[in-house]
Amino acid sequence: MRVIQMVDTKTQYQKIKQEVDSAVIEVMESSAFINGKAVKDFTVNLNKYIGSNYTIPCANGTDAIQIALMALGLKPGDEVITPSFTYIATTEVIALLNLTPVFVEVDPATFCIDPAAIEKAISPKTKAIVPVHLYGHAAAMEAIMAIAEKHNLYVIEDNAQAIGCEYTFSDGTKKKTGTIGHIGTTSFYPSKNLGGFGDGGAIFTSDEKLATRLLMIANHGQSKQYYHDVVGCNSRLDSIQAAVLDIKLKHLDEYNARRRKAADYYDNAFANHPNIKTPFRAVNSFHVFHQYTLQLTGVDRNGLKDFLASNNIPSMIYYPVPGHKQKMFEQFNTASLNMPVTDMLTEKVISLPIHSELDEEQLQFITSKVLEFVNK
Ligand SMILES: *Cc1c(COP(=O)(O)O)cnc(C)c1O
């Protein structure tokens, strides 16, 4: 059996090695390392894939959220509603920009921000909502957009974990996550569903004015060369990453299909188990399983993690400390917030290996070891 990994980027690379190698060599021979043809081609192809009007590549997924927030023209102290149960990148940039993160609960089934909790958290200072399509499952975007419209708020979708996920509205309209809010962001960190060989990110919008601002902010606030209209930053996707990503983009649907197949295998193996809750899949969300995350009840989670590790099966706790309890946010006095769902999830979740290269032998081994420990 091949070694089991949380993410097997090595095997994935081996399968497309020739194509990727020649694309990278082409960039090196062209020497167009910054803003080269590869970046332009990838941007056009990604824009088409996701179904956006404008796609702005940038240096990483954290920058993407930061630039998106910068483009909204908010003032210090303005409030941004966001889930506490997410990766720190989502919420850190809010505080970095002197905005106030307002942490709210997630839906215990989807792990995504709870629209009812958003509505309760709205104040006169609220300016934006940053939902996260956590683990590859879409947040309840129809409800979120309705709340945003009613209260005149911006929505920035953190789509770092869900590229390729499709959301279906109640009228049957389908849109890719990342293209539903005013702005969407994503990350090409190597372990993401569309991962580069280094850092990368992108920002999506269908609003021309926002697109102009986003592009300007990502490029030193520059409107034309050496004319800088607003304070921006330097956030670029380099040509080598773009060349790799352009090839992997052609395989993204297949990679996601394989993640879903692995998830099906896990679902079947753990079906109706009294101690294991498998991930929920809302009918309106095409889950792309960035993570496959179980909720355990009456199981020693650390014991299971250690038992799996002793069998060379990696597992991860995403995330052991929720945003509202991070020391980083002490100034906002969030530690005492009453967040029973978030606190419960941080204690119950465990993520199993999931990626495009898992085979049946590995899945059989993983599930049998999980059940061996849980049924003991
Ligand atoms: C990975 C990730 C990010 C940040 O992406 P980087 O490219 O690592 O900066 C942001 N939000 C979420 C939910 C993520 O998983």
PDB file of all heavy atoms in Angstrom, residues 9 30 47 66 106-107 155 162 180 196 203 209 295 307 317 358 361 364:
ATOM      1  N   THR A   9       0.153  15.491  -2.878  1.00  0.00           N
ATOM      2  CA  THR A   9       0.449  16.338  -4.037  1.00  0.00           C
ATOM      3  C   THR A   9       1.547  15.708  -4.914  1.00  0.00           C
ATOM      4  O   THR A   9       1.649  16.021  -6.090  1.00  0.00           O
ATOM      5  CB  THR A   9       0.918  17.742  -3.581  1.00  0.00           C
ATOM      6  OG1 THR A   9       1.903  17.575  -2.563  1.00  0.00           O
ATOM      7  CG2 THR A   9      -0.238  18.535  -3.010  1.00  0.00           C
ATOM      8  N   SER A  30      11.233  31.845 -21.272  1.00  0.00           N
ATOM      9  CA  SER A  30      10.702  33.162 -21.675  1.00  0.00           C
ATOM     10  C   SER A  30      11.229  34.264 -20.754  1.00  0.00           C
ATOM     11  O   SER A  30      11.265  35.424 -21.115  1.00  0.00           O
ATOM     12  CB  SER A  30       9.177  33.155 -21.634  1.00  0.00           C
ATOM     13  OG  SER A  30       8.720  33.277 -20.299  1.00  0.00           O
ATOM     14  N   ASN A  47     -11.231  32.616 -14.926  1.00  0.00           N
ATOM     15  CA  ASN A  47     -12.409  33.489 -14.991  1.00  0.00           C
ATOM     16  C   ASN A  47     -13.557  32.759 -15.698  1.00  0.00           C
ATOM     17  O   ASN A  47     -14.708  32.800 -15.258  1.00  0.00           O
ATOM     18  CB  ASN A  47     -12.024  34.766 -15.742  1.00  0.00           C
ATOM     19  CG  ASN A  47     -13.067  35.848 -15.611  1.00  0.00           C
ATOM     20  OD1 ASN A  47     -13.386  36.284 -14.515  1.00  0.00           O
ATOM     21  ND2 ASN A  47     -13.618  36.282 -16.734  1.00  0.00           N
ATOM     22  N   GLN A  66      -7.769  40.287   2.183  1.00  0.00           N
ATOM     23  CA  GLN A  66      -7.345  41.633   2.602  1.00  0.00           C
ATOM     24  C   GLN A  66      -7.637  42.664   1.505  1.00  0.00           C
ATOM     25  O   GLN A  66      -8.206  43.731   1.776  1.00  0.00           O
ATOM     26  CB  GLN A  66      -5.848  41.631   2.928  1.00  0.00           C
ATOM     27  CG  GLN A  66      -5.360  42.993   3.404  1.00  0.00           C
ATOM     28  CD  GLN A  66      -3.856  43.042   3.577  1.00  0.00           C
ATOM     29  OE1 GLN A  66      -3.249  42.073   4.006  1.00  0.00           O
ATOM     30  NE2 GLN A  66      -3.260  44.174   3.240  1.00  0.00           N
ATOM     31  N   VAL A 106     -21.769  28.967  13.529  1.00  0.00           N
ATOM     32  CA  VAL A 106     -21.976  28.234  12.283  1.00  0.00           C
ATOM     33  C   VAL A 106     -23.130  27.248  12.457  1.00  0.00           C
ATOM     34  O   VAL A 106     -23.543  26.940  13.577  1.00  0.00           O
ATOM     35  CB  VAL A 106     -20.700  27.470  11.851  1.00  0.00           C
ATOM     36  CG1 VAL A 106     -19.615  28.443  11.423  1.00  0.00           C
ATOM     37  CG2 VAL A 106     -20.201  26.547  12.955  1.00  0.00           C
ATOM     38  N   ASP A 107     -23.613  26.785  11.327  1.00  0.00           N
ATOM     39  CA  ASP A 107     -24.628  25.742  11.306  1.00  0.00           C
ATOM     40  C   ASP A 107     -23.928  24.415  11.646  1.00  0.00           C
ATOM     41  O   ASP A 107     -22.934  24.063  11.001  1.00  0.00           O
ATOM     42  CB  ASP A 107     -25.208  25.717   9.877  1.00  0.00           C
ATOM     43  CG  ASP A 107     -26.249  24.641   9.677  1.00  0.00           C
ATOM     44  OD1 ASP A 107     -26.099  23.539  10.252  1.00  0.00           O
ATOM     45  OD2 ASP A 107     -27.201  24.893   8.927  1.00  0.00           O
ATOM     46  N   VAL A 155     -20.832  41.479   0.698  1.00  0.00           N
ATOM     47  CA  VAL A 155     -20.519  40.078   0.999  1.00  0.00           C
ATOM     48  C   VAL A 155     -19.236  39.687   0.269  1.00  0.00           C
ATOM     49  O   VAL A 155     -19.128  39.854  -0.944  1.00  0.00           O
ATOM     50  CB  VAL A 155     -21.670  39.138   0.581  1.00  0.00           C
ATOM     51  CG1 VAL A 155     -21.275  37.679   0.775  1.00  0.00           C
ATOM     52  CG2 VAL A 155     -22.941  39.456   1.360  1.00  0.00           C
ATOM     53  N   ALA A 162     -13.165  25.880  -1.386  1.00  0.00           N
ATOM     54  CA  ALA A 162     -14.310  25.328  -2.135  1.00  0.00           C
ATOM     55  C   ALA A 162     -14.278  25.618  -3.629  1.00  0.00           C
ATOM     56  O   ALA A 162     -15.326  25.646  -4.274  1.00  0.00           O
ATOM     57  CB  ALA A 162     -15.604  25.849  -1.521  1.00  0.00           C
ATOM     58  N   ILE A 180     -20.889  34.594  -6.073  1.00  0.00           N
ATOM     59  CA  ILE A 180     -22.252  34.942  -5.635  1.00  0.00           C
ATOM     60  C   ILE A 180     -22.247  36.271  -4.870  1.00  0.00           C
ATOM     61  O   ILE A 180     -23.116  37.122  -5.086  1.00  0.00           O
ATOM     62  CB  ILE A 180     -22.830  33.805  -4.769  1.00  0.00           C
ATOM     63  CG1 ILE A 180     -22.844  32.489  -5.563  1.00  0.00           C
ATOM     64  CG2 ILE A 180     -24.250  34.155  -4.301  1.00  0.00           C
ATOM     65  CD1 ILE A 180     -23.045  31.236  -4.733  1.00  0.00           C
ATOM     66  N   GLY A 196      -1.117  25.212  -6.204  1.00  0.00           N
ATOM     67  CA  GLY A 196       0.091  25.452  -6.981  1.00  0.00           C
ATOM     68  C   GLY A 196       1.290  24.767  -6.364  1.00  0.00           C
ATOM     69  O   GLY A 196       1.136  23.904  -5.482  1.00  0.00           O
ATOM     70  N   ILE A 203      -8.982  36.769  -6.809  1.00  0.00           N
ATOM     71  CA  ILE A 203     -10.154  37.518  -6.364  1.00  0.00           C
ATOM     72  C   ILE A 203     -11.132  37.590  -7.537  1.00  0.00           C
ATOM     73  O   ILE A 203     -10.711  37.796  -8.677  1.00  0.00           O
ATOM     74  CB  ILE A 203      -9.745  38.960  -5.943  1.00  0.00           C
ATOM     75  CG1 ILE A 203      -8.489  38.922  -5.055  1.00  0.00           C
ATOM     76  CG2 ILE A 203     -10.887  39.670  -5.248  1.00  0.00           C
ATOM     77  CD1 ILE A 203      -7.834  40.274  -4.867  1.00  0.00           C
ATOM     78  N   LYS A 209     -16.556  48.397 -11.239  1.00  0.00           N
ATOM     79  CA  LYS A 209     -15.883  49.385 -10.374  1.00  0.00           C
ATOM     80  C   LYS A 209     -15.028  48.698  -9.325  1.00  0.00           C
ATOM     81  O   LYS A 209     -13.892  49.106  -9.054  1.00  0.00           O
ATOM     82  CB  LYS A 209     -16.930  50.262  -9.675  1.00  0.00           C
ATOM     83  CG  LYS A 209     -17.366  51.442 -10.523  1.00  0.00           C
ATOM     84  CD  LYS A 209     -18.098  52.468  -9.654  1.00  0.00           C
ATOM     85  CE  LYS A 209     -18.709  53.533 -10.534  1.00  0.00           C
ATOM     86  NZ  LYS A 209     -20.124  53.778 -10.216  1.00  0.00           N
ATOM     87  N   GLN A 295     -17.751  14.266  12.971  1.00  0.00           N
ATOM     88  CA  GLN A 295     -18.024  14.720  14.343  1.00  0.00           C
ATOM     89  C   GLN A 295     -18.155  13.461  15.196  1.00  0.00           C
ATOM     90  O   GLN A 295     -18.958  12.582  14.892  1.00  0.00           O
ATOM     91  CB  GLN A 295     -19.330  15.512  14.394  1.00  0.00           C
ATOM     92  CG  GLN A 295     -19.258  16.857  13.710  1.00  0.00           C
ATOM     93  CD  GLN A 295     -20.574  17.613  13.798  1.00  0.00           C
ATOM     94  OE1 GLN A 295     -21.096  17.828  14.882  1.00  0.00           O
ATOM     95  NE2 GLN A 295     -21.118  17.986  12.659  1.00  0.00           N
ATOM     96  N   PHE A 307      -4.042   6.627  17.766  1.00  0.00           N
ATOM     97  CA  PHE A 307      -4.165   5.257  17.241  1.00  0.00           C
ATOM     98  C   PHE A 307      -3.961   5.257  15.723  1.00  0.00           C
ATOM     99  O   PHE A 307      -3.241   4.412  15.181  1.00  0.00           O
ATOM    100  CB  PHE A 307      -5.550   4.688  17.600  1.00  0.00           C
ATOM    101  CG  PHE A 307      -5.799   3.308  17.045  1.00  0.00           C
ATOM    102  CD1 PHE A 307      -5.171   2.196  17.597  1.00  0.00           C
ATOM    103  CD2 PHE A 307      -6.659   3.131  15.961  1.00  0.00           C
ATOM    104  CE1 PHE A 307      -5.397   0.920  17.076  1.00  0.00           C
ATOM    105  CE2 PHE A 307      -6.884   1.863  15.450  1.00  0.00           C
ATOM    106  CZ  PHE A 307      -6.266   0.749  15.998  1.00  0.00           C
ATOM    107  N   ILE A 317      -7.028  18.103  13.252  1.00  0.00           N
ATOM    108  CA  ILE A 317      -8.144  18.787  13.907  1.00  0.00           C
ATOM    109  C   ILE A 317      -8.235  20.187  13.291  1.00  0.00           C
ATOM    110  O   ILE A 317      -7.408  21.048  13.578  1.00  0.00           O
ATOM    111  CB  ILE A 317      -7.937  18.927  15.441  1.00  0.00           C
ATOM    112  CG1 ILE A 317      -7.525  17.597  16.077  1.00  0.00           C
ATOM    113  CG2 ILE A 317      -9.184  19.530  16.103  1.00  0.00           C
ATOM    114  CD1 ILE A 317      -8.519  16.464  15.977  1.00  0.00           C
ATOM    115  N   LEU A 358      -6.310   9.127  -3.341  1.00  0.00           N
ATOM    116  CA  LEU A 358      -6.595   8.019  -2.414  1.00  0.00           C
ATOM    117  C   LEU A 358      -7.139   6.830  -3.206  1.00  0.00           C
ATOM    118  O   LEU A 358      -8.020   6.993  -4.051  1.00  0.00           O
ATOM    119  CB  LEU A 358      -7.651   8.447  -1.394  1.00  0.00           C
ATOM    120  CG  LEU A 358      -7.197   9.263  -0.182  1.00  0.00           C
ATOM    121  CD1 LEU A 358      -8.418   9.797   0.550  1.00  0.00           C
ATOM    122  CD2 LEU A 358      -6.346   8.422   0.761  1.00  0.00           C
ATOM    123  N   GLU A 361      -7.711   0.642  -1.495  1.00  0.00           N
ATOM    124  CA  GLU A 361      -6.946  -0.079  -0.470  1.00  0.00           C
ATOM    125  C   GLU A 361      -6.661   0.851   0.723  1.00  0.00           C
ATOM    126  O   GLU A 361      -6.818   0.458   1.887  1.00  0.00           O
ATOM    127  CB  GLU A 361      -5.630  -0.580  -1.089  1.00  0.00           C
ATOM    128  CG  GLU A 361      -4.823  -1.482  -0.166  1.00  0.00           C
ATOM    129  CD  GLU A 361      -3.445  -1.820  -0.732  1.00  0.00           C
ATOM    130  OE1 GLU A 361      -3.003  -1.180  -1.699  1.00  0.00           O
ATOM    131  OE2 GLU A 361      -2.811  -2.729  -0.166  1.00  0.00           O
ATOM    132  N   GLN A 364      -9.950   1.623   2.534  1.00  0.00           N
ATOM    133  CA  GLN A 364     -10.391   0.460   3.308  1.00  0.00           C
ATOM    134  C   GLN A 364      -9.600   0.392   4.611  1.00  0.00           C
ATOM    135  O   GLN A 364     -10.156   0.165   5.681  1.00  0.00           O
ATOM    136  CB  GLN A 364     -10.200  -0.807   2.453  1.00  0.00           C
ATOM    137  CG  GLN A 364     -11.041  -2.003   2.871  1.00  0.00           C
ATOM    138  CD  GLN A 364     -10.447  -2.733   4.072  1.00  0.00           C
ATOM    139  OE1 GLN A 364      -9.222  -2.762   4.235  1.00  0.00           O
ATOM    140  NE2 GLN A 364     -11.297  -3.289   4.915  1.00  0.00           N
TER     141      GLN A 364
END
